[in-house]
Amino acid sequence: MLDWKIRIGKPKLRLQTTITLLVCIVVVMALFVTEILITNRISQETKKGQAEKATDIARIVAGSPLVINGLQNKKAEKDIQSFANDLKRSTHVEFIVVMDMDGIRKSHPNRNLLGLHFVGGDEGPVLKGKEHISTAEGTLGLSLRSFVPVFDEKNKQIGAVAVGISLEKVNQAIEQSRRIILIGVGVGILVGVLGALFLARKIKSILFGMEPSEIAKLLEERSAMLESTKEGTLAVDQDGITTLVNNEGIRLLHKAGIEGPFLGKIVDDYMPNTKLSTVLETGEAQLNQEQEINHITILTNRVPVIVKGKIVGAIATFREKTEIKELAEQLTGVKLYAEALRTQSHEFMNKLHVISGLVHMKDYHMVSSYITKIVNHQQSEVEFVVSRFKDPVLAGFILGKLSFAREKGCEMIIDGEGLLPEPHRQETTHEVVTILGNLIDNSLDAVADQPLKKVTLRFDYYDGILVLEVHDTGQGIDEEIRNSLCVKGYSTKGENRGIGLFLVQRSLEKLAGQLEIHSQKGKGSTFIVTVPYESKQ
């Protein structure tokens, strides 16, 4: 059921602008948060990596036999300096200092500082046999230092090694990594902005260029339209799941004994003979189809919903057959009455034009003669019809058909004995008008191209039975198609025809009457109608 109430205020920004700004803000915030977290992580990892590098170098030096021997033997002490400096140059560290247990340097990048005490004040733990890492300022500036004790063959500590890496270089490495990250963030922001613009335009195109407020308004209008229509409407998606049912559709389904809710359910589960699944499979519309839903009959149209060449659903509109039948019968009767009035009006205008022309020519004698002729003919025709048909509606209708026949260039003859009284029920007049109107129209069409254009209406009323006979001088009807004449939509006159005799048959069903068709090729056709007719008297 449609019951949507949407209230949308006036938007400050268009949808495309809103989506673009929102996506850009999200992308920028996400990338900057990522940059902060990654930079912090890289800073920690870089320092950790440099500390591990210094520690590994310090352990190599501490385990070198040359260093152990130099700390034990005064004569081999000078070899420590050359070994430490060579290793320093190859590993690109700031310094490698070997010291004895008193903290006296045995190696240093600056030879003038050999024999002096280690500077920094952070060598205490290593001289007690503990590895550690610290940051301190020495003779070469602030540096990251790794300390490793040196043991002899008897596992007795005989000194220590300090390997330093300049913190300036560490910070340079961090800054270089951060610049790379910032470049990546910038590229990410640019890609995010372009992606946001593309996404906004894509969404805009999917929404047919409409703003949310416009969509909401359109939705409310369509909802109101669906609810105001007298046809039931039921829509399903490509899987046959019900997506929409309007109130009239729910009413008809309830009348047929089918209870809801319907939305979200497979349509075949609660209405097995709907045939919407066939429409989804074939993609072919099914129009003006009769369908039985329990105890009621509906007329339905089923059409596929096709988007970009693909079937995405189907819609059925339906209405109770009895309602359509009553409406069609009413409209047909009104059409016949209106046609009769139009024809009489047209014929009267033609006569006025003739009179006007004669007056303009000042041929007053001919005017008088013409008017007398018209009056006599009209009076004679009216008196004849009114005397035979006591129902004024039926009499007026037949007079209109006589005028219509003259307009078509056809001679129409009324023949019959006695008179036809008014019917007991007014509905009988309507049905007789429907029957006669369609039969006479068909006969006029049949003689339209014939050299002899003649239609005869005969009537006979006796003992509550009315017999109407309409004969024409047309080409006749082939025997093989006579049984199909009363089928709805069947016609030999082209498309969108085939309703007249169908309505005749329906009126006969209501009156419990019968129709006989006699025809010979080249000799015309005769339609005989027999109906019970209860007189008003």
Side-chain angles (χ1 to χ4, degrees), residues 493-510:
K493 305 172 186 177
E495 296 182 359
N496 300 320
R497 304 292 296 270
I499 299 295
L501 288 178
F502 171 75
L503 293 176
V504 168
Q505 187 66 35
R506 302 310 295 268
S507 293
L508 287 173
E509 290 176 2
K510 293 187 71 171

Side-chain angles (χ1 to χ4, degrees), residues 380-401:
S380 174
E381 184 176 88
V382 170
E383 287 179 355
F384 175 80
V385 172
V386 171
S387 65
R388 295 295 192 276
F389 301 94
K390 296 304 180 179
D391 188 329
V393 173
L394 184 58
F397 168 74
I398 292 177
L399 287 171
K401 282 301 177 185

Side-chain angles (χ1 to χ4, degrees), residues 209-268:
M210 301 176 67
E211 295 296 318
S213 58
E214 296 172 336
I215 296 173
K217 181 182 177 183
L218 180 62
L219 187 62
E220 288 184 333
E221 291 173 351
R222 294 294 172 85
S223 174
M225 289 170 60
L226 284 172
E227 294 305 340
S228 64
T229 182
K230 287 297 293 180
E231 281 77 22
T233 302
L234 186 148
V236 298
D237 61 15
Q238 57 190 354
D239 298 319
I241 297 175
T242 306
T243 58
L244 180 147
V245 186
N246 68 350
N247 286 334
E248 180 63 14
I250 293 175
R251 184 188 71 81
L252 289 174
L253 291 174
H254 285 173
K255 186 175 180 180
I258 301 175
E259 298 297 330
F262 306 104
L263 297 182
K265 292 186 176 181
I266 298 177
V267 66
D268 290 336

Side-chain angles (χ1 to χ4, degrees), residues 425-498:
R425 296 186 306 115
Q426 190 62 39
E427 291 81 1
T428 303
T429 300
H430 168 71
E431 302 301 339
V432 171
V433 167
T434 300
I435 294 169
L436 277 180
N438 285 289
L439 292 179
I440 292 173
D441 285 346
N442 285 345
S443 296
L444 291 174
D445 288 341
V447 301
D449 299 326
Q450 301 301 311
L452 176 61
K453 298 179 175 62
K454 185 176 180 180
V455 173
T456 302
L457 169 62
R458 295 186 178 89
F459 70 94
D460 184 24
Y461 173 70
Y462 178 76
D463 198 18
I465 299 296
L466 171 64
V467 179
L468 299 170
E469 181 178 319
V470 179
H471 174 75
D472 63 67
T473 57
Q475 283 292 327
I477 303 170
D478 293 335
E479 186 174 353
E480 58 268 18
I481 67 172
R482 290 179 195 174
N483 294 331
S484 303
L485 288 177
C486 294
V487 177
K488 181 181 179 183
Y490 180 85
S491 175
T492 60
K493 305 172 186 177
E495 296 182 359
N496 300 320
R497 304 292 296 270

